[in-house]
Amino acid sequence: MNVLLLGSGGREHALAWKIAASPLLTRLWCAPGNAGIAREAECVALDIADHAAVIDFCKRNAVDLVVVGPETPLAAGIVDDLASAGIRAFGPSQQAAQLEASKGFTKALCSEFGIPTGAYGRFTNAADALAYVRTKGAPIVVKADGLAAGKGVVVAKTLREAEEAIAKMFDGAFGAAGAEVVIEEFLAGREISFFALSDGDTAIPLASAQDHKRAFDHDQGPNTGGMGAYSPTPLVTGEIHAEIMAKIIVPTVHGMKARGTPFRGVLYAGVMLTPDGPKLFEYNVRFGDPECQVLMLRMMSDIVPALLACCDGQLKNFDLRWFDEPALTVVMAAKGYPGDYAKGTRIEGLDEAAKVEGVEIFHAGTIAKDGNILANGGRVLNICATGKTVTEAQRRAYQAVDRIQWPEGFCRRDIGWQAVERERGL
Ligand code: AMP
């Protein structure tokens, strides 16, 4: 099979690594890719926002399957355009990608199909939104409806913060993404990520994971795209797993089908484990980054047949096997991230780091130049490790981190702390 992967982050490096291991593979390309992906795939300088150019590449190279990594091309309808050209693609249609591209859409689906989520209101003007938060009080969550690169959510501790967020969003801080605002009940509890594949009809769970959103140790500092992750999370017991499937994932897949917009691809549910049971607070319609990196390390089965089964409606009799060993990833980012940061700084010691037992390094924002690896983004590397326990995986990952010489980079030193404390019996 000839496969084209779209994207350029750590998620795509992990996917490329896993797809490259498939015995079904003939050729793998990645557009645009990065310096690490170039080890697994042929990187091509295609503009993935230019759907006609992607289709043309697929036709010229007899691509059998396109795998879409990030959400932007999904929301822009790339899977629909590829399908119209007769090209199979893993990922939801533009209509189904609304689950991520519109928070109001997802809340309405939850109401229609009885999926547990926080109480909410949808607003297209500041006056009504302000009146609503004043009746509800704080804490409360203010969300831009559309895609805002992970920045469109404000968890307001005070009424004043909520009012400011509303004013900012209707002032155009997020452009069209903030033309509608969703205001949601604050859900107290532990947060987990839950992943499932869907072929439009059947859903099969992947594994659970936990990410670390804040920039600094002890969950301090600004929110980021994710500074590390591990899988599985001990918070998702067998019982909670079954409850999330039965009350959230399955009704979503059935609801989308009943509406005539079946969801095919990977559903990534942000779930709060509240005293009243698991509640959905958001959907993403692609693999999480960095959660994907740990899921790929734990997946024993060949991923390519699973991706094909999603596209072809064949998940019903499908089974995925997983390694029991936990996996953990530490993100190394350029100093200053998630704010301003420098590009072009040199990274050394990667080969030595990769020699640590159980370690796999996935690249995110890197570029190769004159035989050197240079930082080329905010999140730059994923130092991943497996181990018999999360504690062992964590130790191995940081041992590898310590072999990397990159003075302009930083990472958190406490990834996996919840699981490590649990393993210590704390
Ligand atoms: P998002 O950008 O949608 O991933 O949201 C960012 C973060 O806001 C999430 O990771 C949650 O920690 C938090 N969040 C979102 N919705 C709620 C909610 N209803 N209650 C509490 N926290 C929330």
Side-chain angles (χ1 to χ4, degrees), residues 103 141 143 150-153 155 184-188 191 213 223 272 281-282 284:
K103 302 217 185 270
V141 186
K143 301 183 172 185
K151 298 190 177 105
V153 174
V155 180
E184 196 178 287
E185 173 190 355
F186 173 80
L187 300 170
E191 184 180 331
K213 286 265 181 225
N223 252 320
M272 199 68 82
F281 63 83
E282 68 165 354
N284 296 294

Side-chain angles (χ1 to χ4, degrees), residues 120-200:
Y120 72 102
R122 295 174 77 173
F123 302 95
T124 51
N125 69 75
D128 291 346
L130 289 169
Y132 182 82
V133 294
R134 284 172 191 146
T135 55
K136 294 287 176 186
I140 197 155
V141 186
V142 181
K143 301 183 172 185
D145 181 73
L147 293 180
K151 298 190 177 105
V153 174
V154 175
V155 180
K157 289 189 200 71
T158 62
L159 199 53
R160 199 194 161 101
E161 269 179 73
E163 289 169 350
E164 280 169 10
I166 289 167
K168 205 173 130 189
M169 285 182 196
F170 283 115
D171 248 6
F174 299 108
E180 181 174 332
V181 166
V182 171
I183 299 180
E184 196 178 287
E185 173 190 355
F186 173 80
L187 300 170
R190 308 288 288 271
E191 184 180 331
I192 58 104
S193 305
F194 193 93
F195 296 86
L197 292 179
S198 167
D199 64 359

